[in-house]
Amino acid sequence: MDYTKVAECYSVLEGISGRNELTRVLALLFKETPKSELGILVYLTQGKLRPDYEGVELGLAEKMALRAIAGASGLASEKVHRTYVKFGDIGTAAQKLLEGRAQDTLFSERLTLRRVHETLMKIARKAGSGSVEAKQSLLLSLLNDSTPLEAKYIMRTVTGGLRLGVADYTVIDAAALAFLGDKEDRAKVERAYNVHPDLGFIVEELASGGVAAVEGVRVDVGVPIRPMLAERLESAKAIVDKMGGKTVAAEYKLDGERLQVHKSVAGVSLFSRRLEVITGHYPDAVELVKDTVSAKEAILEAEVVAIDEDTGDYLPFQELMHRRRKHGVDKAVADYPIALNFFDALFVGRSDLTLEPYSARRKKLEAVLKVTPRTRPVPRLTTSLPEEIEAFMEQAIQDGCEGLLVKDLDSPYRAGAREFAWIKLKREYRSELTDTLDLPIIGAFHGRGRRTGNYGTYLLGAHDTERGVFTSIGKVGTGFTDDDLTRIPKVLKSLESRVKPSNVESKMVPDAWFRPGVILEVIASELTLSPIHTAAKDRIRPGAGLSLRFPKFTGKIRDDKRPDDSTTVEELVSMYNRQLKKLGPVR
Ligand code: ATP
């Protein structure tokens, strides 16, 4: 398939705002694409090269990309730079500059979808000494053969700036439209994706084998399953009512990191909440699993928590951050020991348990796990009484937990869903505070006084999933330790952007802009209407957005979440409405 066709379709997709139309156009493209190339088409259209869990990162630095444009256009780097600043987008800059390219350097060979994908894969895989030059010459070879329109999308793709608004569910809808006769079967495609989150693979399966092929997609040890997530309610009573008054499982909600543990004869792999491989962070967890999980093959979920080795007490989440180092993990293992608190079993032996009720899964979990001071099923209480849940909550908090997770004992494992089969109860609800929010940094302001020379305040964004943008929701300047204030700018460095990123919406102009990537957990006393901020603009009152009252950084950088997993505008609107109910009508 010619890449030109793909680029032309991208430029149509870019101009569409309605989801139905987006789906329709994408479905047409799917139909025109050879079946064997559908996978790579899906990855590229979402700005990726492979499914997320394989961790293939492109993200070429802005500087390198600009240099490649200079090479391909034959123009001086100052001119390239000026054009980039003028348009604020590297793709448009490449397109404009290549339109003026001399005739004799015009493309010699037509670009194919396959070649673009293969070359980008090579760029992503180059590492070590000499890799910068190698990446650059690969990119240059693509640009030399591309039309200006193709160059636009190639440049956006390599710099991580291709945003066509094609979310996972849009791909699923488009594939269903293109290859499914019966609408009813869409749920089967979704289920396949939730237990095998490789959309390229799923779409190819569907196109070549129809519904039967999709139904044949199984849970596989080694392929992560999309995590089941929890809803929130403000009291034990509300939770019990919501679950129909029946007996539920109230479990400790531990303050650690979620691990999806995959054990097979080949070894143990650990996936994070966002389904990245993090086996290297926890060599001790790998050994614990080998020693205490009796099943040869299993997929289990656990919360890993730092502990005080002398007392066995849980320690705060921050202690786990020592595990994120590239070097010295062995030292971190010795200095900051951990314990594994298992809370689910999704696959054991040869059986997929995801469709079994939770009561059966927990039984299976207990059957295959040896309890040791470092491994155990998460503490829980089964009851139908709100008072007992309240008392258990007190105990959990005294033991250093965030609160409780209350679970429906009859529910299957709802991969990828946030539903009321799991409901969290946190202490913050007791005071006037809402839940914590996870918000990406989109900008920063220089500090004063003790913070001179550093950023003093950060501008935060809220994810508008419908439009695929991050809208400003407020500034946060409290809750940072001196260590945070020097550490955060370092992790932000590679995300700095000279212009407002194209997926950021903010009327407030900070001293520095950042592409969303570093997510802070913040707590705030209230959500208020704001004329300045753009989050949920016009959703509650015309002309007004939402902002945070008394926001405070909790000390957690949520590097287990991607920007797409951060708190959404939708969630904020419903929190605002709930809070109104609690506070009573505004007079
Ligand atoms: P939060 O900021 O509250 O952790 P989240 O979006 O990361 O939100 P939720 O769905 O709200 O996730 O809460 C579930 C999370 O709680 C899990 O991802 C897991 O890391 C953690 N957790 C702690 N204890 C348990 C437990 N007993 N069962 C399930 N998850 C647990």
Side-chain angles (χ1 to χ4, degrees):
M1 167 114 146
D2 280 347
Y3 188 67
T4 296
K5 204 163 212 168
V6 177
E8 280 166 0
C9 184
Y10 285 174
S11 88
V12 174
L13 289 174
E14 244 183 347
I16 300 175
S17 53
R19 220 188 116 199
N20 288 346
E21 184 60 6
L22 204 66
T23 309
R24 198 185 61 79
V25 173
L26 195 58
L28 286 177
L29 181 64
F30 283 177
K31 275 202 208 157
E32 284 183 43
T33 306
K35 291 192 174 74
S36 61
E37 291 176 30
L38 271 168
I40 55 177
L41 175 73
V42 168
Y43 302 137
L44 285 176
T45 304
Q46 292 200 299
K48 302 170 188 173
L49 294 178
R50 294 286 306 156
D52 287 340
Y53 62 83
E54 289 188 11
V56 181
E57 295 283 346
L58 247 181
L60 227 59
E62 208 170 71
K63 216 158 122 197
M64 195 194 287
L66 290 171
R67 230 180 277 144
I69 300 178
S73 63
L75 295 167
S77 57
E78 293 77 44
K79 163 107 178 131
V80 172
H81 197 257
R82 270 203 311 277
T83 313
Y84 168 48
V85 171
K86 180 173 162 202
F87 290 102
D89 161 47
I90 211 153
T92 312
Q95 181 182 22
K96 297 284 176 208
L97 292 168
L98 292 194
E99 273 165 4
R101 180 168 46 182
Q103 282 301 318
D104 60 346
T105 58
L106 266 185
F107 49 99
S108 44
E109 196 186 319
R110 294 184 72 77
L111 276 189
T112 59
L113 174 65
R114 214 171 259 296
R115 177 168 159 214
V116 172
H117 186 262
E118 273 168 9
T119 311
L120 297 185
M121 278 298 278
K122 279 187 200 152
I123 293 178
R125 293 223 158 109
K126 288 262 178 267
S129 72
S131 63
V132 172
E133 292 74 17
K135 282 174 193 248
Q136 194 148 333
S137 83
L138 283 163
L139 181 57
L140 192 58
S141 77
L142 272 188
L143 285 186
N144 280 338
D145 284 339
S146 59
T147 65
L149 189 71
E150 289 173 333
K152 174 178 177 179
Y153 294 108
I154 289 173
M155 291 316 289
R156 285 191 185 166
T157 308
V158 292
T159 53
L162 182 79
R163 293 194 190 86
L164 300 171
V166 177
D168 293 350
Y169 53 80
T170 311
V171 173
I172 294 176
D173 282 345
L177 193 63
F179 309 118
L180 270 186
D182 195 343
K183 263 199 167 162
E184 303 283 291
D185 289 333
R186 186 194 181 282
K188 292 178 184 155
V189 182
E190 210 172 323
R191 149 98 189 149
Y193 168 60
N194 284 330
V195 299
H196 192 120
D198 177 348
L199 269 183
F201 165 76
I202 302 285
V203 174
E204 261 185 40
E205 284 291 289
L206 180 64
S208 47
V211 182
V214 163
E215 279 183 306
V217 174
R218 298 265 172 265
V219 170
D220 248 337
V221 179
V223 177
I225 297 172
R226 296 188 69 220
M228 179 166 178
L229 300 171
E231 272 291 351
R232 41 170 96 82
L233 282 175
E234 46 294 305
S235 71
K237 168 96 177 55
I239 294 177
V240 169
D241 286 350
K242 184 85 190 171
M243 294 207 177
K246 63 184 180 184
T247 299
V248 296
E251 297 183 350
Y252 273 18
K253 185 174 195 303
L254 293 141
D255 190 16
E257 178 167 24
R258 186 174 190 154
L259 291 183
Q260 199 176 100
V261 176
H262 287 236
K263 182 183 180 216
S264 73
V265 278
V268 173
S269 327
L270 307 174
F271 293 94
S272 69
R273 180 190 186 283
R274 52 195 265 186
L275 307 185
E276 283 172 336
V277 178
I278 51 167
T279 317
H281 296 180
Y282 297 106
D284 42 356
V286 169
E287 290 311 312
L288 287 172
V289 170
K290 283 186 189 158
D291 294 345
T292 61
V293 176
S294 59
K296 272 206 187 92
E297 288 207 291
I299 303 177
L300 307 178
E301 280 200 296
E303 188 82 356
V304 54
V305 194
I307 51 160
D308 180 325
E309 214 170 16
D310 299 328
T311 60
D313 287 349
Y314 297 134
L315 296 176
F317 171 82
Q318 283 85 326
E319 303 288 332
L320 286 180
M321 288 300 111
H322 302 286
R323 299 301 184 102
R324 307 239 153 206
R325 297 184 195 145
K326 276 224 171 86
H327 307 289
V329 171
D330 289 347
K331 185 163 176 354
V333 165
D335 293 349
Y336 303 95
I338 47 121
L340 294 175
N341 294 268
F342 289 86
F343 60 80
D344 221 316
L346 313 185
F347 189 92
V348 169
R350 304 220 157 270
S351 315
D352 173 0
L353 304 177
T354 54
L355 299 174
E356 304 266 321
Y358 180 47
S359 50
R361 301 201 307 278
R362 169 87 185 202
K363 229 179 243 158
K364 200 82 197 175
L365 172 65
E366 288 172 10
V368 297
L369 181 68
K370 185 166 144 208
V371 178
T372 71
R374 309 282 287 275
T375 54
R376 62 170 177 178
V378 75
R380 75 161 179 179
L381 173 80
T382 47
T383 178
S384 61
L385 302 176
E387 320 72 271
E388 287 193 6
I389 296 180
E390 295 283 348
F392 196 55
M393 168 91 166
E394 291 303 327
Q395 186 187 323
I397 287 182
Q398 268 174 30
D399 283 348
C401 297
E402 286 183 312
L404 297 179
L405 254 169
V406 183
K407 300 182 179 175
D408 181 345
L409 286 162
D410 302 324
S411 169
Y413 189 84
R414 302 277 295 120
R418 190 185 288 282
E419 288 176 358
F420 286 95
W422 282 14
I423 307 177
K424 54 185 167 175
L425 182 63
K426 286 198 191 174
R427 183 168 50 169
E428 288 97 319
Y429 298 123
R430 296 291 185 78
S431 58
E432 274 309 294
L433 302 174
T434 54
D435 192 8
T436 51
L437 307 172
D438 300 321
L439 302 167
I441 293 176
I442 56 174
F445 297 85
H446 297 311
R448 297 201 201 114
R450 218 160 49 89
R451 295 188 182 176
T452 306
N454 255 330
Y455 295 124
T457 320
Y458 289 102
L459 181 63
L460 301 174
H463 187 205
D464 187 326
T465 45
E466 269 190 26
R467 293 184 302 128
V469 293
F470 293 84
T471 47
S472 80
I473 174 116
K475 294 197 291 184
V476 60
T478 52
F480 298 96
T481 62
D482 287 349
D483 189 35
D484 293 331
L485 290 170
T486 48
R487 185 167 60 111
I488 295 174
K490 281 187 200 143
V491 290
L492 276 172
K493 193 99 197 108
S494 65
L495 297 168
E496 187 162 8
S497 172
R498 254 160 289 184
V499 292
K500 179 160 71 68
S502 55
N503 62 339
V504 164
E505 267 184 16
S506 168
K507 285 196 243 174
M508 192 174 262
V509 179
D511 294 319
W513 291 108
F514 296 98
R515 280 182 280 127
V518 174
I519 297 173
L520 302 186
E521 186 186 79
V522 296
I523 185 98
S525 66
E526 250 184 85
L527 289 167
T528 53
L529 291 172
S530 151
I532 301 161
H533 290 291
T534 57
K537 189 159 174 294
D538 299 329
R539 293 278 292 273
I540 292 156
R541 187 179 298 165
L546 279 178
S547 75
L548 308 172
R549 182 152 186 256
F550 301 137
K552 187 175 169 205
F553 176 49
T554 64
K556 271 193 204 172
I557 298 180
R558 293 295 307 253
D559 44 12
D560 58 334
K561 285 195 171 183
R562 351 173 150 263
D564 281 357
D565 301 324
S566 60
T567 306
T568 65
V569 165
E570 215 52 65
E571 289 179 82
L572 292 166
V573 169
S574 80
M575 278 181 193
Y576 180 83
N577 289 334
R578 258 209 307 275
Q579 162 193 297
L580 270 196
K581 269 190 226 143
K582 217 161 85 182
L583 300 176
V586 183
R587 267 180 260 273

